[in-house]
Amino acid sequence: MPLLTDPTAPPEVPDTPVTDAVRAWRSLEEWRSGGPGREAVSREHPPGAMLPPEGLARRTFLQLATASLAAAGFSGCFRQPPEKILPYSQPPEGLTPGVPLHFATGLEWNGRTVGLVVESHEGRPTKVEGNPLHPASLGAAGVFEQAALLGLYDPARAKTARLQGVEAAWSTVRDALRKQAEREDGGAGLRFLVEPTGSPLVQALYARIQERFPQARIIPCGAALTDGRREGTRLAYGRVLDVVHDVGRAVVVALDDDFLSTSQPGNLRAARDFVNARKPEAMNRLWVAESTLTVTGGFADERLRMRPSQGVALMLALAAEVGAGLGGNGPAWAARLAELRVPATALTDAQRAWVRGAAKDLLSHRGQGRVTVGSRQPPLVHELAFAVDEALGNTPRLLEPIALPDGGPEALTLLMGELFDGRVDTLIITAWNPVWTAVWEADFTRHLERVPFRLYHGLHEDETAARCTTFVPATHPFESWRDGRAPDGTASISQPLIAPLFPGAVSEVELLAVFAGLETQSPYELLKSLWRERSGAPPDFEARWETWLADGVIPGTQAPSARAVLDEAAVMEDALDVAGLGPFRIVQNAPDMRAIARASHLAEKPEGLELSLVLDSRLYDGRFAGNAWLQELPDPVTKLTWGNAALLSPATARALSLEKGDVARLEVLGQAVEVPVLVLPGQPDDTVTLALGHGRERVGPVGQGVGVNAYALWSRNMPWGAATVNLTRTGRHHALALTQEHWSMEGRQLALQLPHEAFRAKPQALQPLQEDGERLYPPSALLKSDRHQWAMAIDLHRCTGCSACMVACQAENNVPVVGHDGVLKSREMHWLRIDRYFLGDQDDPGFITQPVACVHCEAAPCEYVCPVNATVHSDEGLNQMVYNRCIGTRYCSNNCPYKVRRFNYLEYQQREPLARLRQNPDVTVRSRGVMEKCTYCVQRIERARAVARSAHRDIREGEVRTACQQACPTEAITFGDLRAPESAVRRAHEDPRHYKLLNSLGTRPRTVHLVRLKNPAPKGGA
């Protein structure tokens, strides 16, 4: 079957009795001449009904598919082998067809591993969940972890290897690498450009390679442009250390640190810890100062807008306030912090008031607070944050580095010098796409081509692969053996879920083993022998090994806290230097000290527009640009899909006469891009924020050319973009694919938040929203029946709006993507959406998010208007969809006040072999013309029912967890049996904070929301 129905070609018709009109389809000449066959089809399908969305050509159609034409060649892998085979009469032990298995594994990115549990149906992974035993996930899974499943089945993955520009088998490339490994110069011309990793196995291979080739160099190259946190520890403690997020405190002050998003390693645990400390009966307080609106800023009790360059001045002022407040009640050196001064023009009155309030709150909660700074800020800001925490007794948790330290831009600069001098004859690249992330340095690409033997190992034929004559396809993390470490050092085993889908793919361990002289051993053997040795080769190692594989965690491997002493004299010297009160201290081996030197003029009020570059919350640094789930996932703040935009505050947009979608030219240091504008309430004035990771040139059909390449604006002299940018109008317009155009609740009580003290004083204030409105029909007797009564509760007090639930729902329920044009027409198919509202002043508003799916009304308006009874109510309280009855009238959608029903305007589901492999077999794959919506994951309910029946018992509390509930990092979603008196969902439905969305309509929803509580500081400070 072709991917698209071509109206100019005769469709395929099976050899069965058909009408004369349809039989006429077989005549190509008659079809083209407009014969009776074509006329009959035209009567059934109006012109264009079988075409893709308007404006969507064949070249761009594949951008919205989860598979591409490359999958057509993959179908050949499903032929029977020529050898004799036998039927599947006796399945392997423990495998029952139709009953999924679950395997513990992990996913590493940016040097940290997140523990996962992957569901597998008959040997094919279909759903990713968090591992509850792993300290980095605690059972949750972020957007990147869940979308990795789609990357596994991506037909755009590289399939064949190349050797010096000629297609070759891996065995041929391996022979060539063996010759490289037989060199006798000690590795003088050998370099490895690698991804930062905490894998003990990979690090052991690096060590063995370094032992065999003493003059070779291994250079880590990560995604982040610079990491101020690492250099901050070097300045404060004398050496590089890892900082573990420890935000489960009474007071948290976050400076440009979006620790509640799921777009950074370690944030799953950080979000859980923070929200657990934010109990309604004992509220903590969050102070946030940030240079662009984030989900953490939206969750803040006291939020402050700042320009990126004001971080230094803000931290200097905070340190001075804390020093003055301590007086003689803290360490002797801390009193000197009060000597710091910030120029009067560096901060506004509102910013100084925020600093005074945050300092007072920290001082009143000594030993119970935390000052956390994002990696985008210069090292001095981190250094001062460590000093403030130490002075207050809020000792930060520090570890010896787990992963190889990222060398940053300086490492690439040193490598480029060696390339230019011709000192490198062999370059092995396993880092993700350095040609793309180093686009700011044209010399890197040019010098790379000077290397005689350059090999790139990657998942795709991307920008770096195009510059390397030798290429080796990489296996997906779910196809290979590996180990890794969580942010706290806990080790885990990552086991493959499936054999490599493309036989030419090779794991990084296999590649490095050739240079380590260990290519005769498989990755599994290398991994097992390493941990046998590290565990002391106990007699019961085999039993331990099996337990580690089953649990996904190696117990007792958590890293101890580092013994580090703050260098108070150095901290004060640096702080006084930047405040203009002393000479600069030169620190050896601190490559980012130039950021400190630059901070002296950043303390003054900057002029003009300032550029702020950020890692994208959906594509990260661009490595996920080929993932259709993430391209169509709305940004949690802007609700933008399929691209990026220059974010401007309403005041700045008015001053520049710009509106949403206007294309502007951004120019920095002679480099320019043209990008559409998006006006974002809460954005700092005179600040332009642009997300990295878009505009890829070689990524496959899904993300090819989507968005604008922001890396073109970055340079070594401008870490993370705190520099002046010129912005000019072009007069052109670009349609932005937004899933939410309107941000006001217009006085309706939808997403609610209340001050904590106000709610405690009058908890009965929500009672009118808890009662049902007028009823058109008599009350249901379902709750009095002996059947389960399923219900849900969503706690806005715990929900950060991170969007993990949306990807989980999409993966679990085979929800398709519709592409840029489909989103423009409001045809997105997500069963679960997260509404975002701004409250108050649009220049500096409040911010709240609200997940909304089908609320399974007991008096559902959709059920009464369906002419074919396709949407019905079950005896367990579910509002069900019978797909084969639905004729697509959309009456139900028009009658739904929550607007949660989705209609398949086109055949969005793809039928290629790879697309079928990843689909959940327990969920019907819907076709064109069918209405669909949230089902409370009824397939999981039925699976639990089958298990309970086989054990001759009832379904127990907690046995049924919906996909969105299971993925949520903060446990904001509760699901269960409303009839059970001790169930968590019943307690939530009886909580004084609960309310029913649009309760005045009398729909009696089974999903209730719980009000978010805020804990603002008292006027005049904490």
Side-chain angles (χ1 to χ4, degrees), residues 137-445:
S137 64
L138 300 177
V143 295
F144 296 145
E145 289 81 16
Q146 294 175 90
L149 181 70
L150 195 63
L152 170 65
Y153 297 112
D154 182 7
R157 284 174 52 188
K159 303 172 181 62
T160 57
R162 294 194 313 271
L163 178 60
Q164 298 294 60
V166 179
E167 187 174 312
W170 159 241
S171 58
T172 305
V173 178
R174 184 176 54 199
D175 292 339
L177 294 181
R178 284 199 188 109
K179 294 180 181 178
Q180 293 287 340
E182 293 171 358
R183 58 198 306 150
E184 298 179 357
D185 60 354
L190 178 62
R191 298 292 182 268
F192 292 84
L193 191 60
V194 302
E195 194 80 8
T197 179
S199 166
L201 174 59
V202 175
Q203 290 181 356
L205 291 173
Y206 289 158
R208 185 174 176 89
I209 291 172
Q210 201 74 69
E211 182 181 351
R212 294 186 70 196
F213 307 104
Q215 298 186 55
R217 284 203 311 120
I218 298 173
I219 307 159
C221 176
L225 305 183
T226 56
D227 190 349
R229 186 179 289 115
R230 278 182 170 272
E231 291 305 321
T233 60
R234 188 199 302 271
L235 296 176
Y237 298 100
R239 68 185 192 275
V240 171
L241 297 168
D242 280 348
V243 184
V244 178
H245 270 305
D246 183 14
V247 292
R249 302 298 187 98
V251 175
V252 178
V253 178
L255 181 59
D256 235 2
D257 188 10
D258 188 16
F259 65 85
L260 290 181
S261 76
T262 62
S263 59
Q264 293 289 335
N267 282 17
L268 292 174
R269 176 64 181 267
R272 178 77 60 86
D273 290 345
F274 174 80
V275 172
N276 283 345
R278 197 173 177 79
K279 298 177 181 177
E281 61 272 13
M283 289 277 287
N284 60 3
R285 184 172 292 133
L286 175 60
W287 299 75
V288 172
E290 57 187 4
S291 57
T292 191
L293 181 59
T294 65
V295 296
T296 304
F299 217 76
D301 299 299
E302 299 288 346
R303 178 180 180 267
L304 177 71
R305 297 185 297 161
M306 72 170 194
R307 301 177 70 171
S309 60
Q310 290 182 304
V312 174
L314 207 67
M315 184 53 72
L316 282 171
L318 180 63
E321 286 287 340
V322 169
L326 284 172
N329 297 324
W333 62 270
R336 294 194 62 201
L337 292 172
E339 302 174 16
L340 300 174
R341 294 291 182 270
V342 178
T345 60
L347 299 176
T348 65
D349 292 341
Q351 289 171 336
R352 291 183 182 276
W354 183 93
V355 167
R356 289 193 296 270
K360 186 174 182 180
D361 213 359
L362 287 169
L363 288 164
S364 62
H365 294 85
R366 293 181 61 177
Q368 304 173 54
R370 169 68 68 245
V371 179
T372 176
V373 181
S375 60
R376 302 169 62 238
Q377 286 296 318
L380 176 71
V381 181
H382 295 268
E383 181 185 16
L384 285 174
F386 295 137
V388 169
D389 273 340
E390 296 271 10
L392 293 169
N394 307 328
T395 306
R397 187 177 175 196
L398 304 171
L399 306 176
E400 297 296 339
I402 294 170
L404 290 178
D406 184 359
E410 290 73 20
L412 276 179
T413 302
L414 179 59
L415 176 62
M416 282 194 301
E418 295 179 325
L419 298 179
F420 178 78
D421 295 337
R423 287 181 284 163
V424 179
D425 57 55
T426 301
L427 179 61
I428 308 299
I429 303 175
T430 60
W432 180 78
N433 205 358
V435 167
W436 172 254
T437 56
V439 69
W440 51 269
E441 188 59 82
D443 288 342
F444 177 76
T445 302

Side-chain angles (χ1 to χ4, degrees), residues 746-805:
E746 302 295 343
R748 293 168 294 179
Q749 294 174 316
L750 302 178
L752 301 184
Q753 65 180 25
L754 296 171
H756 178 234
E757 293 300 329
F759 178 76
R760 289 184 62 182
K762 193 177 180 181
Q764 67 274 18
L766 291 176
Q767 188 171 352
L769 301 180
Q770 297 169 351
E771 299 171 351
D772 296 321
E774 296 184 8
R775 294 169 175 162
L776 259 165
Y777 299 90
S780 168
L782 286 178
L783 290 178
K784 299 179 181 179
S785 72
D786 58 354
R787 305 281 297 179
H788 296 288
Q789 297 302 309
W790 304 110
M792 181 177 284
I794 301 175
D795 192 346
L796 301 184
H797 187 67
R798 301 181 71 93
C799 173
T800 64
C802 70
S803 303
C805 54

Side-chain angles (χ1 to χ4, degrees), residues 30 44 147 157 195 197 284 334 338 378 513 516 552 560 632 634 665 755 771 804 881 915 975 980 994 1016:
E30 189 173 359
E44 182 181 354
R157 284 174 52 188
E195 194 80 8
T197 179
N284 60 3
E632 194 152 301
R665 176 184 171 86
E771 299 171 351
M881 277 298 305
F975 180 80
H994 93 273

Side-chain angles (χ1 to χ4, degrees), residues 573-592:
E573 191 175 344
D574 288 339
L576 292 172
D577 288 345
V578 172
L581 304 176
F584 284 109
R585 175 172 68 101
I586 304 302
V587 180
Q588 190 175 5
N589 297 326
D592 214 4

